Amino acid sequence: MNRKEFLFSLSASVLAAICPGLLLKPEEKSLIIRPPGAIEETLFSQFCVRCGQCLKVCSANCLKPVKIIKSIRNWATPEIIPRQSGCIRCQSCSKVCPTGAIRKVKNEEIKIGTAQINIKQCLVWTHQKECLVCLEFCPVQAVHKDQQDRPVVKPEMCVGCGLCEQNCPVTTQEAAIRVSVSGEKRYHIKENRYY
């Protein structure tokens, strides 16, 4: 048993003693937004040694460690919280990852997630106000205007960087445009390709 395994085992034992049902409860499908080039989610927490190197080199400061209350299995692994800071797709994280949990990918293969507009919160959709901040901040032109000049996302073009969500002027905690990861491609180690 190496140091990482010992510390994780010790932490899990303490948590199991405090909250016995916590470790037995099966986790739901992960909704964690990973950095570009992250391997498939089922293996990510096993490959990631939680060294924090990716967090340190992130020039956009968008990578944060997953909190233990969010997920015990993914605790201290990197995640993107777009409302706080979006990813600029520099891929510095892939250059310092010692285990290959985050790999360098071609720019055209980057798919972190997909943005979706909540029309009940969007200022243009609900209040007919002039606001196209999401369109202005989208680096890949995935957000465009429909016939009524309302913002719409083209999911096939969206890379899920979260710059639209970060800069959304809606003042509630939740933005009117949000990035999610359901059904996104991840790097498949055994097949050496994205799936």
Side-chain angles (χ1 to χ4, degrees):
M1 182 181 289
N2 64 29
R3 182 178 174 193
K4 176 192 162 199
E5 291 169 338
F6 172 75
L7 291 173
F8 188 78
S9 176
L10 181 63
S11 301
S13 299
V14 170
L15 278 173
I18 297 169
C19 309
L22 188 62
L23 293 176
L24 300 174
K25 179 182 155 190
E27 283 200 21
E28 296 176 13
K29 187 177 185 300
S30 179
L31 301 176
I32 297 170
I33 300 172
R34 298 292 187 191
I39 61 171
E40 56 186 300
E41 189 60 34
T42 54
L43 296 175
F44 191 86
S45 63
Q46 294 170 25
F47 272 68
C48 179
V49 291
R50 294 145 175 90
C51 64
Q53 292 301 311
C54 57
L55 306 174
K56 292 175 188 170
V57 300
C58 181
S59 54
N61 199 27
C62 70
L63 292 181
K64 306 292 179 200
V66 173
K67 295 183 178 175
I68 199 161
I69 56 170
K70 184 173 185 177
S71 171
I72 190 168
R73 287 188 188 103
N74 292 299
W75 171 62
T77 61
E79 76 168 325
I80 297 171
I81 304 172
R83 191 61 168 153
Q84 293 176 11
S85 184
C87 177
I88 59 170
R89 301 173 296 142
C90 67
Q91 296 194 63
S92 297
C93 49
S94 66
K95 295 172 188 165
V96 297
C97 182
T99 64
I102 305 170
R103 298 173 182 222
K104 176 89 170 136
V105 293
K106 296 176 186 168
N107 277 344
E108 60 271 13
E109 290 179 337
I110 292 177
K111 185 70 171 174
I112 304 166
T114 304
Q116 196 170 31
I117 295 173
N118 180 344
I119 60 172
K120 293 178 182 175
Q121 282 190 284
C122 179
L123 298 173
V124 181
W125 280 84
T126 57
H127 305 294
Q128 288 75 43
K129 291 188 177 182
E130 288 186 35
C131 173
L132 292 169
V133 171
C134 52
L135 189 140
E136 293 169 18
F137 278 92
C138 181
V140 294
Q141 288 78 46
V143 183
H144 63 94
K145 293 190 242 180
D146 68 4
Q147 291 81 8
Q148 286 87 34
D149 288 333
R150 300 175 301 194
V152 182
V153 177
K154 292 182 182 176
E156 68 279 2
M157 290 179 68
C158 179
V159 294
C161 65
L163 293 174
C164 55
E165 184 176 341
Q166 174 191 346
N167 293 289
C168 177
V170 172
T171 55
T172 58
Q173 186 176 6
E174 202 170 283
I177 185 165
R178 298 195 62 210
V179 175
S180 66
V181 294
S182 57
E184 298 308 335
K185 293 184 175 186
R186 296 277 192 220
Y187 191 80
H188 197 283
I189 293 171
K190 291 178 184 166
E191 296 179 24
N192 200 29
R193 65 177 178 87
Y194 275 81
Y195 70 98

